Amino acid sequence: RCRLPGVGRVWCRRASRMEVKFIHREHFVEREYLRHGVVLQRGDTVFDVGANIGLFALFAFAECRGECRLFCLVPIAPIFWFLQKNAEEHGLSAAGVTLLNLGLTHLGGPERTPFTYFPRLSGNSTQRPSEKNRQTEALLRVFDEPRHALRLIGKTPLHRRPFLRAAYLAAYPLLPLLRRRFVGLSETRETIGRLTT
C-alpha cells in the first residue's frame, strides 16, 4: 500500500507506486476530469468505466460528499481485486458503490475479449496493445539514441530546452539502469475480460 495526500492509504502493487502518484496528481491536484464545465455534486450518478484501482472513484465520491450513485467497471480480474480493496478501505462498499468486474462493449458485442494486462502499470492495460507497443518503442529510442532524445528536446518550447538538456545529460550515465527499469515496468500478460452492454 502507499499513502497519498488527501486520500490516505491506497492498495497498489509496489512497482506501480509511481503510476499511482501520477494518477492521484491528475485527479486530486490538477482535477483533469473537471474541466470544460464538468461538475460533480451530491446526488449525481457517475460511471467510472475502466476504473483501474479506484482513484477516480475516490475522487468522485469525495466531490459528491459521499452522496452519489457510483458504478465502477474493470474487466481485468487482478486490477479489480485492487479496486475492491480500495473501495473497502475507504468505505465505498458500505456506501452502496457498485463494483463490476466487467468492461463495456457495443450492443451485440462479444461477452469476453482478450486484454493485455500490465501488472506494474495497470493503467496501461488495453485491448489495443499495438498502440502501447509504439509508445514503448518511442521511449526506448530516447534511452538508446541520444541524438533522438536531443531532437525531441529541440521540439519543446524554447524556455524548457535548457532544463531538459541539462536533465538528460545528468541522467545519461544512468540510462542503462533506467532502461532496464522501464522494460521491467512494461512487462505484460494476456488475460480474458468479461464484457457487458
Side-chain angles (χ1 to χ4, degrees), residues 125-167:
S125 300
T126 181
Q127 283 182 280
R128 297 183 180 96
S130 60
E131 181 180 321
K132 295 296 177 185
N133 290 341
R134 280 194 302 275
Q135 292 171 354
T136 299
E137 288 167 12
L139 276 169
L140 287 176
R141 284 188 69 196
V142 170
F143 291 115
D144 296 339
E145 301 174 30
R147 284 187 203 151
H148 178 69
L150 294 172
R151 208 171 317 128
L152 289 176
I153 290 169
K155 294 179 180 180
T156 62
L158 194 58
H159 68 282
R160 291 187 182 160
R161 290 179 196 171
F163 169 77
L164 291 172
R165 276 195 196 104

Side-chain angles (χ1 to χ4, degrees), residues 40-53:
L40 290 173
Q41 55 195 10
R42 287 182 172 138
D44 282 351
T45 298
V46 179
F47 285 86
D48 188 0
V49 178
N52 198 1
I53 66 168

